Amino acid sequence: VSQSRYHNASKIFDNFAHLDFDTTLIKPLEIDNSNNDFTIFYKEDPIHYKAFNTNEYLGWIPEEIKIRPKEFYNMAIFGGKSIEIYEYSKKALEFIYNKENEKFFCNEKYYDTFGQALFGEQFYFSSYCNFFNKKVKVLCENTEHCIARHK
């Protein structure tokens, strides 16, 4: 999550999209966020997030994470209305860079996909959307198809 990247995009574009380096598009991507706040690649299986005991890992937990979301999102493709992305990224960075969470997010033991992408981005994003009732458009409904293409 890069607040400066999202902040700059919010000043230039009405809609913004980010593609992870390991994501390949086969067809042109059209993201229209006129009826939703965010667009994401696909919904993830909640099983990936079952083991997340936020109290065990974190010192400061934002209100939005205290209510576990029913849906989790893969953010390999992530877009939305620029102001929505800016607000999300600001809150995500407050969570990640909070001094009480430094032990988790800066610990080599967790410094990998679990600590950064899954927890800091996708778990938090899903919680944020749930808590603030954000409308999320899913680009790929067939998860198996999406994962095969994503790998």
Side-chain angles (χ1 to χ4, degrees):
V1 178
S2 168
Q3 188 175 9
S4 62
R5 182 182 341 160
Y6 297 144
H7 180 72
N8 290 337
S10 72
K11 292 181 180 291
I12 301 169
F13 307 107
D14 288 333
N15 282 313
F16 176 75
H18 162 83
L19 277 69
D20 279 355
F21 183 71
D22 61 348
T23 302
T24 303
L25 295 178
I26 296 171
K27 297 178 185 176
L29 177 65
E30 289 188 34
I31 295 182
D32 175 13
N33 288 303
S34 54
N35 294 321
N36 50 281
D37 298 308
F38 296 103
T39 299
I40 54 88
F41 192 18
Y42 61 87
K43 292 180 186 176
E44 292 229 287
D45 188 335
I47 195 84
H48 299 301
Y49 302 91
K50 268 197 173 183
F52 284 20
N53 179 353
T54 51
N55 295 330
E56 181 182 337
Y57 299 117
L58 305 169
W60 178 74
I61 302 170
E63 288 299 313
E64 49 271 31
I65 284 186
K66 292 178 182 176
I67 301 169
R68 195 170 191 84
K70 292 180 180 142
E71 297 181 325
F72 292 92
Y73 306 109
N74 182 287
M75 296 172 69
I77 298 174
F78 168 66
K81 296 175 183 173
S82 56
I83 192 65
E84 293 293 341
I85 288 177
Y86 178 73
E87 289 303 317
Y88 153 71
S89 65
K90 184 171 78 172
K91 288 189 153 292
L93 290 172
E94 287 172 7
F95 165 57
I96 292 166
Y97 290 124
N98 185 290
K99 282 283 187 202
E100 293 181 46
N101 295 336
E102 189 175 89
K103 193 163 104 180
F104 172 72
F105 286 110
C106 297
N107 187 329
E108 284 185 30
K109 179 179 176 184
Y110 304 115
Y111 199 80
D112 58 9
T113 303
F114 172 77
Q116 279 56 53
L118 285 179
F119 205 94
E121 281 185 10
Q122 294 174 183
F123 184 86
Y124 180 77
F125 177 73
S126 300
S127 299
Y128 175 89
C129 290
N130 180 61
F131 188 82
F132 292 107
N133 296 312
K134 298 299 179 182
K135 294 181 200 163
V136 179
K137 177 182 176 182
V138 178
L139 291 174
C140 189
E141 293 291 342
N142 182 343
T143 307
E144 287 181 20
H145 178 72
C146 295
I147 292 172
R149 291 205 183 278
H150 182 61
K151 287 184 179 178

